[in-house]
Amino acid sequence: MIFYKTKDEVDLIKKSALVLGKTHGEVAKLIKPGVKTKDLDKVAEEFIKDNNGYPSFKGYNNFPASLCISINDEVVHGIPSNYELRDGDVVSIDCGVCLNGFHSDSAYTYAVNTNSEEVKRLLQTTKDSLYVGISQVRVGNRIGDVSFAIQDYVEKNRFSVIRELVGHGLGKNLHEEPQVPNYGKRGRGIVLREGLVIAIEPMVNMGKRNISQSSDGWTIRTADRKPSAHFEHTVAIVDGKCEILTTFEYIEKEYKL
Ligand code: MG
Ligand code: MG
C-alpha cells in the first residue's frame, strides 16, 4: 500500500533532505585522487549525526556503511573500503538520511579528472534523464509516464537502462511502495496523486544493461564491466505539482563535470 504524505510530513522529509544535500556537499569537497572511500563514509556519517540525523543505509539489511560508493563498473550498493580514488574513476555516491522519523534518499555520480568524453556524456545523460523523469511527475500522470520518459531519453542517447533495480516510495520507511522503474510504457502503472513521495533514480550503463552481483553480497556490477552512472532525487507532489526535495546545490558548489 502507498502511504500518501500530508504537507507537514513532506516538510519533515524536506528537512531530512536538506541535511542530506549538505552531507553530499561535504563528501563532494573530498572527491579527489588518493582519498579512501571509507574516509568519505566517515565524513558523511559524522556530518549526519552532528545534524541530529541518522544514516538511513547503516544497518539496513545489515549494510555496513552510511554511503554506498560504487566505482566504475560498480553500479550501486558498493561498500566503502580502503580503495583510494584515482584519476579517471567514475564514482557514484548514494546516501540516505533519517531525520525526525523521515527518510530522504539521493545519489550523484562524479568523474575524477576524467578526459573521456564518453564518460562525461554518460554522466550528463544520466543526470538529464533524472530531470526528464521528474518532468512527468504531476497529479493525473502515471508511473509509466515517468519510467518511459527516462528509458526513451537514455536509449536515444545510445546508453542502456538497468531494469532489475528501481526507484521507490519513501517516508517513514526508506523503501515503500510504489516501485518506480526506469523503463516502461506510457499510461501504465498507478496514477500519481497529491502527497506521493518517491525517489527517482536512473541507473544507466555505458554498455549493455545486464548486471551481476559481486561476491560481497552487495555490490552490483555491469556484466560487461563498462562504467555505470546513478543519479537520484527524492520528490513529492504538492499542490498537484512536483517538488524536488533533495538538492545537488551543495555538491555543485564543489564539483563541475
Ligand atoms: Mg539512494
Ligand atoms: Mg533510492
Side-chain angles (χ1 to χ4, degrees), residues 72 88-91 109-127 159 204 206 226-229 231 255 257:
N72 298 329
D89 279 348
V90 174
V91 183
T109 300
Y110 302 81
V112 182
N113 301 328
T114 190
N115 44 31
S116 163
E117 288 307 316
E118 196 64 350
V119 163
K120 288 182 186 173
R121 204 173 69 80
L122 174 70
L123 270 48
Q124 190 65 51
T125 299
T126 309
K127 186 173 145 186
F159 295 127
V204 174
M206 186 181 280
K226 290 185 178 172
S228 186
F231 286 82
Y255 167 85
L257 179 61

Side-chain angles (χ1 to χ4, degrees), residues 57 94-95 105-107 168 201 230 232:
F57 299 173
D94 193 356
C95 188
D105 190 2
S106 83
H168 50 93
E201 47 180 315
H230 179 211
E232 177 181 28

Side-chain angles (χ1 to χ4, degrees), residues 56-115:
S56 304
F57 299 173
K58 189 147 194 177
Y60 185 85
N61 293 334
N62 295 318
F63 188 76
S66 300
L67 299 177
C68 294
I69 304 181
S70 309
I71 315 282
N72 298 329
D73 63 325
E74 298 173 352
V75 178
V76 287
H77 304 165
I79 300 173
S81 70
N82 284 316
Y83 178 84
E84 293 179 7
L85 298 186
R86 55 187 80 158
D87 282 341
D89 279 348
V90 174
V91 183
S92 298
I93 306 272
D94 193 356
C95 188
V97 166
C98 187
L99 182 69
N100 298 318
F102 284 89
H103 295 272
S104 54
D105 190 2
S106 83
Y108 197 93
T109 300
Y110 302 81
V112 182
N113 301 328
T114 190
N115 44 31

Side-chain angles (χ1 to χ4, degrees), residues 157-176:
N157 282 281
R158 303 187 310 282
F159 295 127
S160 62
V161 160
I162 289 170
R163 303 196 178 196
E164 294 86 346
L165 301 156
V166 297
H168 50 93
L170 70 170
K172 288 181 179 166
N173 308 293
L174 178 61
H175 294 115
E176 299 180 356

